[in-house]
Amino acid sequence: MYLEIVSPEATLFSSEVDSVTVPGINGEFQMLNNHAPIVSLLKEGMVKIHTHTKTHLVFDELHASIVPHIDDDKVLTLKINSGTIEMKDNKVIVLAD
């Protein structure tokens, strides 16, 4: 599935991923490939991006807030204050604050 994370300043992440875990207002939930369509509000917490490989990802000043997970180098994390998530047609868009 394709994941895009957008903030008011810029696109923070845009790539194919295996799954994404987000802090929903009713608790953390995960979306995998071919998940049913969903729209949900997000609360403060960590977005966990599960990648198949990191070789194609670019880490620069713009993407400095996305960091590799301590225990697993295929998991990236991003702290958000709030946001909205939409999953449709195997594409996830996170609008993050």
Side-chain angles (χ1 to χ4, degrees):
M1 79 180 153
Y2 194 82
L3 172 64
E4 188 170 34
I5 301 176
V6 181
S7 76
E9 294 82 28
T11 298
L12 302 176
F13 185 86
S14 182
S15 180
E16 288 287 329
V17 298
D18 291 338
S19 68
V20 61
T21 304
V22 294
I25 58 172
N26 292 321
E28 186 177 85
F29 64 96
Q30 182 180 47
M31 286 174 288
L32 300 168
N33 203 23
N34 297 314
H35 192 284
I38 186 173
V39 174
S40 181
L41 295 175
L42 303 176
K43 65 179 183 176
E44 182 177 1
M46 299 299 286
V47 175
K48 297 175 190 154
I49 306 161
H50 301 262
T51 63
H52 184 67
T53 177
K54 291 192 314 184
T55 57
H56 64 287
L57 300 178
V58 175
F59 295 99
D60 54 22
E61 289 182 19
L62 175 63
H63 304 94
S65 55
I66 298 177
V67 295
H69 192 271
I70 296 169
D71 298 329
D72 188 348
D73 66 345
K74 291 184 180 177
V75 176
L76 306 172
T77 58
L78 171 67
K79 182 171 178 11
I80 63 169
N81 294 322
S82 64
T84 305
I85 189 167
E86 177 186 20
M87 169 75 162
K88 183 179 177 185
D89 297 329
N90 226 26
K91 181 176 181 181
V92 179
I93 300 174
V94 175
L95 304 175
D97 293 332

